[in-house]
Amino acid sequence: MERGVTIKFSRHASLDYDRISLYLTEDVYQFQAEQNFSKAIEALLGNLTAFPRMGSVYDDGRCLSREYRRINVGRYSVFYVYLEDKAVVEIHRILAGMADHTIFIKDETQMYEI
């Protein structure tokens, strides 16, 4: 089991999280769904600090410079990169499960510590 792994969010992942939360509470008035989503993401982050390779390797047929991983959280997919040498998990996107992920997953994005 890995220890001391730091979680960082890209600007896009932070915006994705905020948009999903706002959508659930303000657009569809599903306050319980928003709470469930937030708790599920929080639990996932805790699990990733202990098991950073738990997601399946994401392969969309493109040649990416990093090994992206994907984990489903309810109706959403969380895309991340584990940088083993730095003990960092970079969360890149949180997308609806039905979205075309190939247009959203990019090689380089700025990271922010949480």
Side-chain angles (χ1 to χ4, degrees):
M1 179 164 68
E2 308 284 334
R3 296 211 184 266
V5 174
T6 302
I7 304 285
K8 293 185 179 184
F9 270 73
S10 72
R11 184 172 133 291
H12 290 296
S14 293
L15 290 171
D16 292 339
Y17 179 87
D18 291 343
R19 286 183 190 133
I20 293 167
S21 292
L22 283 173
Y23 169 75
L24 292 172
T25 56
E26 295 183 3
D27 292 348
V28 294
Y29 303 106
Q30 295 293 323
F31 301 105
Q32 187 62 48
E34 193 284 327
Q35 288 179 343
N36 292 343
F37 169 73
S38 294
K39 287 178 184 177
I41 292 295
E42 187 176 319
L44 172 64
L45 298 179
N47 287 335
L48 283 174
T49 61
F51 307 103
R53 292 184 192 86
M54 68 186 276
S56 60
V57 174
Y58 176 68
D59 180 15
D60 66 355
R62 292 183 295 165
C63 205
L64 299 170
S65 64
R66 302 179 190 195
E67 182 179 76
Y68 281 82
R69 293 181 171 271
R70 174 183 176 178
I71 293 182
N72 292 329
V73 177
R75 296 175 23 188
Y76 302 95
S77 295
V78 177
F79 293 88
Y80 72 95
V81 174
Y82 175 47
L83 305 173
E84 186 172 6
D85 58 329
K86 297 178 182 178
V88 170
V89 168
E90 297 177 344
I91 308 292
H92 283 259
R93 296 303 302 250
I94 304 171
L95 302 172
M98 296 178 288
D100 178 7
H101 302 130
T102 60
I103 62 174
F104 293 108
I105 303 304
K106 310 260 191 253
D107 260 349
E108 298 297 325
T109 53
Q110 188 173 358
M111 293 292 128
Y112 303 92
E113 281 198 44
I114 59 166

